[in-house]
């Protein structure tokens, strides 16, 4: 099992009480939100696990953690640990290739 740490920014939505958008500077493809800070943390954890696992399955490298360059007023910045277990398995093809794909 591998552990990864990412800095996450929880930005309150203007005009909405208890709605937080989630941003991860190291992984800009992570985009989620929560209807409370607690739910936003849960959603961030879930999204981070999925993105990290997807990158590992595609053979991509996991980027190093990045701190935000700007933090919007009222935002909460926290580090989140992601634990991912990833195994690559392959099964040799025992059938004739023409038979397997016909």
């Amino acid at each position: 099992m591998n552990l990864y740490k990412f800095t996450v920014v929880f930005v309150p939505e203007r005009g909405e009480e208890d709605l937080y958008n989630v941003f991860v500077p190291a992984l800009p493809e992570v985009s989620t939100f929560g209807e409370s800070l607690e739910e936003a943390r849960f959603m961030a954890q879930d999204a981070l696990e999925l993105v990290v696992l997807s990158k590992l399955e595609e053979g991509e490298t996991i980027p190093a953690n990045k701190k935000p360059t700007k933090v919007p007023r009222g935002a909460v910045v926290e580090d989140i640990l992601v634990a991912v277990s990833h195994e690559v398995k392959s099964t040799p093809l025992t059938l004739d290739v023409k038979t397997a794909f016909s």
Side-chain angles (χ1 to χ4, degrees):
M1 182 173 301
N2 293 324
L3 287 175
Y4 303 93
K5 180 176 85 170
F6 295 101
T7 300
V8 179
V9 182
F10 301 95
V11 182
E13 182 69 30
R14 265 192 189 162
E16 297 287 332
E17 191 173 323
D18 283 339
L19 184 66
Y20 291 86
N21 291 303
V22 176
F23 300 100
V24 182
L27 295 166
E29 63 266 48
V30 172
S31 179
T32 190
F33 72 96
E35 293 183 356
S36 67
L37 188 53
E38 182 179 337
E39 182 182 42
R41 284 183 184 116
F42 175 84
M43 298 300 286
Q45 179 84 35
D46 188 51
L48 283 166
E49 288 171 1
L50 290 171
V51 168
V52 168
L53 186 57
S54 176
K55 284 186 172 293
L56 290 172
E57 287 176 351
E58 294 298 320
E60 298 177 27
T61 59
I62 306 303
N65 187 35
K66 281 171 111 174
K67 300 290 183 185
T69 54
K70 280 187 171 182
V71 177
R73 178 175 285 163
V76 176
V77 179
E78 297 179 358
D79 288 334
I80 291 183
L81 283 177
V82 177
V84 176
S85 180
H86 178 256
E87 239 181 274
V88 177
K89 294 182 182 180
S90 63
T91 305
L93 186 61
T94 57
L95 300 173
D96 179 272
V97 174
K98 288 182 183 177
T99 306
F101 292 101
S102 49

